[in-house]
Amino acid sequence: MKLLEQKIINDGIALEGNILKVDSFLNHQIDVLFMDKLGKEFSRLFSGLSATKILTVEASGIALSCALAKYLKLPVLFAKKGNRANIGADVYFAASYSYTHKSEYIMTVSRKYLSSCDKIIIIDDFLAKGNALSGLISISQQAGCEILGIGIAIEKAFEGGGDALRQEGFNLCSLAIVESMDNGDIVFRQ
Amino acid sequence: MKLLEQKIINDGIALEGNILKVDSFLNHQIDVLFMDKLGKEFSRLFSGLSATKILTVEASGIALSCALAKYLKLPVLFAKKGNRANIGADVYFAASYSYTHKSEYIMTVSRKYLSSCDKIIIIDDFLAKGNALSGLISISQQAGCEILGIGIAIEKAFEGGGDALRQEGFNLCSLAIVESMDNGDIVFRQ
């Protein structure tokens, strides 16, 4: 999606260690009207799939999921991180590792809201090695629901997670795929 | 807002310890079309204030803030919880205590995105004793920005936080104010 690539070039900051900061519009400050455009593009990519629900993980996936949900008229379900006193005991859970925060965490989803009747689209802001997605996929498999598609705003292809998921057969759509960002020079996959 | 009160009566669950679970539509699963109606009501309450930004805290405040932001065409800024490797060192921060999770935490906002030029509306899903709000107010004061209004979906009036903020002079608008919920009987303030 050229619009997102241009926004990354204009507003993103490439830092040492292949860190791409897009916190001016995506995952700290949120440009809601821009999110709407990403949501519309996801709705085009995932139209006609008869999904019942959108699954994401807090926090940065929520705004993007809501933008898509508005177009598809679906509920959003977000996995909670950590031990949460308010989610109850009847949960699916998965362990994940965050390279951003350099720590392991547990994500949980109440069994009440995900079942084998569901056909879901998984949404997240970033895909690098795929750790967060692995957690969401594990939870979906525990629930026995069908994963119709996975939508990502920014995929760092050089981390390998995205292509591994494609090889596993997942219908993965990333709106911007960063092939490399050596020396701060961001190159997108064509 | 009668619509929200009715939704709480229909879909909310009153648990022991004055816990009101609304995770079927507000803070785990999100009814995005319903959020849109809450956002529209906030936009009516806060119209004409010339706000520059909406401030909230992850994670449950994000969807509600985005719903309002769409109407007011403003960016959303969400405070991050915990020590986050990706937010940088140049931050405002405040300590808060979560009664839900029975633990202290730090919330942080990058100084890049909040300044004395900003006039903000603070949004959150719940207001009980007001701990999360105190953190957001502290951060706003550190930035020197003006707080034009505070919008809450559900206020538990019997916890006292809301009325204390009103006495301090804040322009606090809660869409549903639960006066009491003894024995699971939810009574709204008229």
Side-chain angles (χ1 to χ4, degrees), chain B residues 140-152:
Chain B
S140 306
Q141 289 167 340
Q142 291 169 51
C145 65
E146 190 180 345
I147 300 172
L148 300 176
I150 301 174
I152 299 293

Side-chain angles (χ1 to χ4, degrees), chain A residues 83-132:
Chain A
N83 293 316
R84 308 299 284 262
N86 65 341
I87 198 171
D90 197 21
V91 297
Y92 309 110
F93 63 92
S96 191
Y97 182 82
S98 167
Y99 282 88
T100 309
H101 307 128
K102 295 178 182 60
S103 62
E104 280 211 338
Y105 65 93
I106 301 289
M107 60 172 82
T108 55
V109 165
S110 168
R111 286 175 186 263
K112 266 200 297 191
Y113 303 123
L114 203 62
S115 78
S116 59
C117 299
D118 282 309
K119 298 178 179 195
I120 63 166
I121 298 167
I122 296 177
I123 293 288
D124 209 359
D125 58 336
F126 262 96
L127 167 55
K129 293 188 194 299
N131 282 276

Side-chain angles (χ1 to χ4, degrees), chain B:
Chain B
M1 190 191 186
K2 283 290 162 204
L3 192 74
L4 178 56
E5 292 181 3
Q6 201 53 53
K7 186 89 166 172
I8 293 168
I9 295 294
N10 291 346
D11 298 345
I13 301 170
L15 298 177
E16 244 182 279
N18 287 329
I19 292 169
L20 178 57
K21 274 183 87 77
V22 287
D23 63 1
S24 66
F25 65 94
L26 187 62
N27 49 21
H28 182 28
Q29 183 164 258
I30 303 170
D31 182 337
V32 174
L33 301 182
F34 187 75
M35 284 305 104
D36 184 71
K37 291 175 184 168
L38 303 190
K40 190 174 183 181
E41 177 64 5
F42 278 135
S43 76
R44 191 185 66 78
L45 293 167
F46 296 128
S47 67
L49 291 182
S50 305
T52 61
K53 204 162 276 194
I54 296 165
L55 178 67
T56 189
V57 58
E58 65 178 6
S60 306
I62 295 175
L64 204 53
S65 297
C66 288
L68 169 58
K70 200 194 70 181
Y71 284 100
L72 297 186
K73 297 187 175 21
L74 294 176
V76 168
L77 179 63
F78 68 87
K80 300 198 174 192
K81 292 178 181 171
N83 294 316
R84 308 296 284 262
N86 65 342
I87 199 172
D90 197 21
V91 297
Y92 309 110
F93 63 93
S96 190
Y97 182 81
S98 167
Y99 282 88
T100 309
H101 307 127
K102 296 180 182 60
S103 61
E104 281 210 338
Y105 65 94
I106 301 288
M107 60 172 81
T108 55
V109 165
S110 168
R111 286 175 185 261
K112 267 200 297 190
Y113 303 124
L114 204 61
S115 78
S116 59
C117 299
D118 282 309
K119 300 179 177 194
I120 63 164
I121 298 167
I122 296 178
I123 293 288
D124 210 0
D125 59 335
F126 263 96
L127 166 56
K129 295 189 193 300
N131 282 276
L133 274 186
S134 293
L136 291 173
I137 290 168
S138 166
I139 282 171
S140 306
Q141 289 167 340
Q142 291 169 51
C145 65
E146 190 180 345
I147 300 172
L148 300 176
I150 301 174
I152 299 293
I154 304 175
E155 176 184 338
K156 289 166 150 181
F158 56 89
E159 300 271 16
D163 288 333
L165 287 166
R166 288 185 186 93
Q167 281 174 17
E168 288 177 51
F170 286 103
N171 174 24
L172 169 64
C173 300
S174 299
L175 300 184
I177 302 181
V178 179
E179 199 67 81
S180 65
M181 46 185 295
D182 300 334
N183 306 313
D185 183 26
I186 298 169
V187 178
F188 295 102
R189 182 178 291 182
Q190 294 308 312

Side-chain angles (χ1 to χ4, degrees), chain A:
Chain A
M1 189 190 187
K2 283 289 164 205
L3 193 73
L4 177 56
E5 292 180 2
Q6 200 55 51
K7 185 91 165 171
I8 293 167
I9 295 295
N10 291 345
D11 298 345
I13 301 170
L15 298 176
E16 245 183 277
N18 286 329
I19 292 170
L20 178 58
K21 274 184 88 75
V22 286
D23 62 2
S24 66
F25 65 94
L26 187 62
N27 50 20
H28 183 27
Q29 182 165 258
I30 303 169
D31 182 337
V32 174
L33 300 183
F34 187 75
M35 284 304 105
D36 184 73
K37 291 175 185 168
L38 302 190
K40 190 175 183 180
E41 177 63 6
F42 278 135
S43 77
R44 190 185 67 77
L45 293 167
F46 295 129
S47 68
L49 290 183
S50 306
T52 61
K53 205 162 277 193
I54 295 165
L55 179 67
T56 189
V57 58
E58 64 178 5
S60 307
I62 294 175
L64 205 53
S65 297
C66 288
L68 169 59
K70 199 194 71 181
Y71 283 99
L72 297 185
K73 297 185 172 29
L74 294 177
V76 167
L77 180 61
F78 67 87
K80 300 199 175 194
K81 291 178 181 172
N83 293 316
R84 308 299 284 262
N86 65 341
I87 198 171
D90 197 21
V91 297
Y92 309 110
F93 63 92
S96 191
Y97 182 82
S98 167
Y99 282 88
T100 309
H101 307 128
K102 295 178 182 60
S103 62
E104 280 211 338
Y105 65 93
I106 301 289
M107 60 172 82
T108 55
V109 165
S110 168
R111 286 175 186 263
K112 266 200 297 191
Y113 303 123
L114 203 62
S115 78
S116 59
C117 299
D118 282 309
K119 298 178 179 195
I120 63 166
I121 298 167
I122 296 177
I123 293 288
D124 209 359
D125 58 336
F126 262 96
L127 167 55
K129 293 188 194 299
N131 282 276
L133 273 186
S134 294
L136 291 172
I137 290 167
S138 165
I139 282 172
S140 307
Q141 288 168 340
Q142 291 169 51
C145 66
E146 189 180 346
I147 300 171
L148 299 176
I150 300 174
I152 299 293
I154 304 174
E155 176 183 338
K156 288 166 149 180
F158 55 89
E159 300 271 15
D163 288 333
L165 287 165
R166 290 184 186 92
Q167 281 175 17
E168 288 178 50
F170 287 102
N171 174 25
L172 169 64
C173 300
S174 300
L175 300 185
I177 303 181
V178 179
E179 199 68 80
S180 65
M181 46 186 293
D182 300 334
N183 305 313
D185 183 25
I186 298 169
V187 178
F188 295 103
R189 181 178 290 181
Q190 295 307 313

